[in-house]
């Protein structure tokens, strides 16, 4: 299945091919390679509007996920028709992420991949509202990033490190 990547901003250059490869590898590590995923690289304006509309927080953010299915953490969808082979959409706040990377000195492309992993976990029902949920999500992120690290030689860590 496919990863549809759209760059809806012009503020920050995005290397699409490595990001698409990372998302494909992460999706496979989750056992969801047969499902479509939409990935939108967004600027601060769009992220602010989406965050305000869906989370009542009028600031830009790094990632917002919009699952197609309502799932229990770690559960895969059970498609009944072709349209059900869709995990949902991930909006990456690339302008926000780029600014954070400039402030911390972290590699932008690496942080994009880690943020996409976080978004994919949300599409599969993982949350981080409680300590237990965070532990489950952190474990899953670490697991799929370990597989991506194995494939690429990188040393990526979960986005939710140190949340609780």
């Amino acid at each position: 299945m496919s990863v549809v990547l759209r760059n809806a901003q012009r503020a920050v250059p995005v290397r699409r091919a490595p990001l698409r490869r990372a998302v494909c590898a992460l999706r496979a590590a989750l056992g969801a390679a047969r499902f479509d995923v939409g990935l939108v690289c967004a600027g601060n304006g769009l992220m602010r509007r989406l965050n305000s509309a869906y989370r009542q927080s009028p600031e830009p953010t790094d990632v917002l996920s919009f699952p197609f299915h309502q799932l229990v953490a770690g559960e895969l969808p059970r498609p009944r028709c072709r349209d059900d082979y869709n995990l949902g959409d991930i909006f990456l706040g690339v302008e926000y992420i780029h600014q954070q990377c400039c402030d911390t000195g972290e590699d932008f492309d690496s942080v994009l991949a880690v943020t996409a992993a976080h978004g994919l976990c949300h599409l599969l029902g993982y949350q981080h509202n409680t300590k237990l949920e965070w532990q489950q999500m952190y474990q899953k992120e670490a697991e799929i990033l370990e597989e991506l690290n194995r494939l690429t030689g990188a040393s990526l860590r979960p986005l939710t490190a140190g949340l609780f």
Side-chain angles (χ1 to χ4, degrees), residues 79-139:
R80 287 184 266 154
C81 65
R82 171 64 192 108
D83 289 344
D84 287 347
Y85 283 89
N86 182 359
L87 291 180
D89 297 316
I90 301 168
F91 285 74
L92 294 175
V94 295
E95 191 175 355
Y96 181 90
I97 293 167
H98 186 263
Q99 184 58 54
Q100 296 295 317
C101 289
C102 288
D103 293 346
T104 63
E106 292 181 83
D107 178 68
F108 176 66
D109 291 323
S110 296
V111 175
L112 274 184
V114 170
T115 307
H118 186 83
L120 279 167
C121 285
H122 277 309
L123 293 183
L124 290 178
Y126 290 94
Q127 298 297 323
H128 47 75
N129 299 320
T130 68
K131 187 172 183 175
L132 179 59
E133 288 176 342
W134 170 78
Q135 288 171 331
Q136 289 174 328
M137 186 162 183
Y138 182 87
Q139 181 62 38

Side-chain angles (χ1 to χ4, degrees), residues 12-51:
V12 179
V14 175
R15 297 177 56 223
R16 294 178 192 204
L19 179 57
R20 185 186 318 271
R21 280 193 302 271
V23 171
C24 286
L26 292 163
R27 189 180 53 165
L30 284 163
R34 65 184 192 194
F35 292 92
D36 295 329
V37 172
L39 192 64
V40 179
C41 296
N44 282 344
L46 178 55
M47 292 303 285
R48 184 180 294 111
R49 288 189 302 277
L50 291 170
N51 206 20

